[in-house]
Amino acid sequence: MTPPAGPPKSGAAGGALGRTLTIVLTLACAITSSNIYINQPVLTDMASSFGVSEGAMGSVPTATQFGYALGILLLVPLGDTRDRRKLILSLGAATTVALAAAALAPDLAVLTVVSFLLGALTPIPQIVVPLAVALTGGQAKGRVVGVLQGGLLVGLLASRTYAGALADLVGWRWVYGCSVALMVMLLVLLFFTLPKGITGSAAMPYGDLLKSLPKLFRGSPLVRRVCTSGALVGVSFGAFWTTLAFVLQDSYGYGPGIAGLFGLVAAASALGSPRAGRLADRKGGRYTQTVLLVVSLVGWATLAGGKEWLVLMVLGVVLLDVGVWGNQVVNQAMLFKLDAGQHSRLNTLYFTTRFLGIAMGSLLGSQIWNAGGWYGVSVLGVGALLLAAPILCTTRDVRPVDDIPAGTSAEETASRAG
């Protein structure tokens, strides 16, 4: 049985998350997460550079997403027991080295391996968000998560734009070189602004920390539902963004520059994330998830016609990203109502399954593109959402852990919330 967590160490109380630190943490989420998506608008350029098919090039985003899922599984739980400042800075330095290696990769095989390592070393946002929630004193979790993810999305989507534009000008390798420079600047900023001594309150060895993950998953119906639905929504998301560059090239003759501009088109979703968090705070998770599911399904229905009408592709991108990213905000807000001492591990479970879903979507999407084209990919995207629908529309809203009687064990708390 996992002991109840105490308060975060070193004064991580309410009010410690000021405006400056919020901006810095939002930048950290934006820049580090962008590193796993910058390959998507330049896949056609990479395929041409290495002399391989577009389907084969799908191994790069797939490896990145699988690596990201593994990194979340093995590294993010450390946020419950280690100094989060040191952990974030160490992972940031390792990510910078991996980006440099990707820029110098001589062939597809090496780039695929490096992309896997890059993904594994990059789960910094999943450590940053629980840190921010702890520094707020646990108030307005949905709003805090929404604000950080809103900034994350602006950076992530803008990265697709600069990746495409930069690849058009000087080639895809400089895309990774630019990300190296951004990471160096971010590390300097984090070094001077991250609070010291903010350590997770779960006192247990690393092995026990990992062993506790299956117990957390099995012990709470809520956690199982959130993780399963998150993975299915991830399949839909991964299938779309991996094949977007292919359909734009095939139907309209657009290169990576235009594919990257679709990141700016989807920037409207960044405005929806904080709103989704606030709506979940007011109306509850089940209501908000149902609304977001409908938005995502309408988005895919619109995207299906995007092969023939570009305006439908633009509108569909906005709708799908609003639905998918809003879904992620609400899922995290629901989980963060559980025991604060488990937040990093809950984030681990959620994002491991989420990015396994995205990786599967990338893999299936690129293969279905070769066999069935854009309409086949659309069927995959809609099908994954329909599988998630019964879970999203029936998951019971969560009681905040503060409302549960004192002395209740972590497992009992999770079970009541589910």
Side-chain angles (χ1 to χ4, degrees), residues 248-385:
L248 291 177
Q249 177 68 46
D250 181 67
S251 296
Y252 303 102
Y254 293 152
I258 300 299
L261 286 176
F262 271 78
L264 289 183
V265 172
S269 62
L271 302 177
S273 289
R275 287 176 171 80
R278 289 194 291 269
L279 183 61
D281 286 337
R282 295 196 312 268
K283 296 283 191 177
R286 178 166 53 188
Y287 174 87
T288 309
Q289 292 288 34
T290 302
V291 171
L292 293 168
L293 173 67
V294 172
V295 171
S296 299
L297 287 169
V298 172
W300 263 115
T302 307
L303 286 168
K307 180 178 173 61
E308 305 295 336
W309 294 282
L310 187 61
V311 66
L312 293 182
M313 184 69 75
V314 173
L315 178 60
V317 168
V318 173
L319 291 172
L320 182 65
D321 267 39
V322 166
V324 168
W325 288 106
N327 163 266
Q328 181 165 297
V329 168
V330 178
N331 279 337
Q332 286 185 279
M334 292 172 75
L335 290 177
F336 287 156
K337 291 180 181 179
L338 301 178
D339 189 349
Q342 300 172 346
H343 280 180
S344 288
R345 281 169 288 164
L346 292 171
N347 235 19
T348 294
L349 290 169
Y350 174 65
F351 279 101
T352 298
T353 51
R354 178 77 160 194
F355 279 92
L356 283 174
I358 294 175
M360 287 303 300
S362 296
L363 177 62
L364 293 173
S366 59
Q367 299 309 310
I368 289 176
W369 168 262
N370 281 343
W374 182 242
Y375 296 124
V377 174
S378 299
V379 170
L380 171 63
V382 171
L385 292 177

Side-chain angles (χ1 to χ4, degrees), residues 63-64 97-103 105 108-120:
T64 306
V97 174
L99 285 166
L108 176 58
V110 173
L111 181 60
T112 300
V113 172
V114 171
S115 296
F116 179 84
L117 295 174
L118 174 62

Side-chain angles (χ1 to χ4, degrees), residues 401-416:
V401 71
D402 293 341
D403 293 343
I404 297 175
T408 304
S409 72
E411 286 79 2
E412 291 170 335
T413 298
S415 179
R416 290 188 186 195

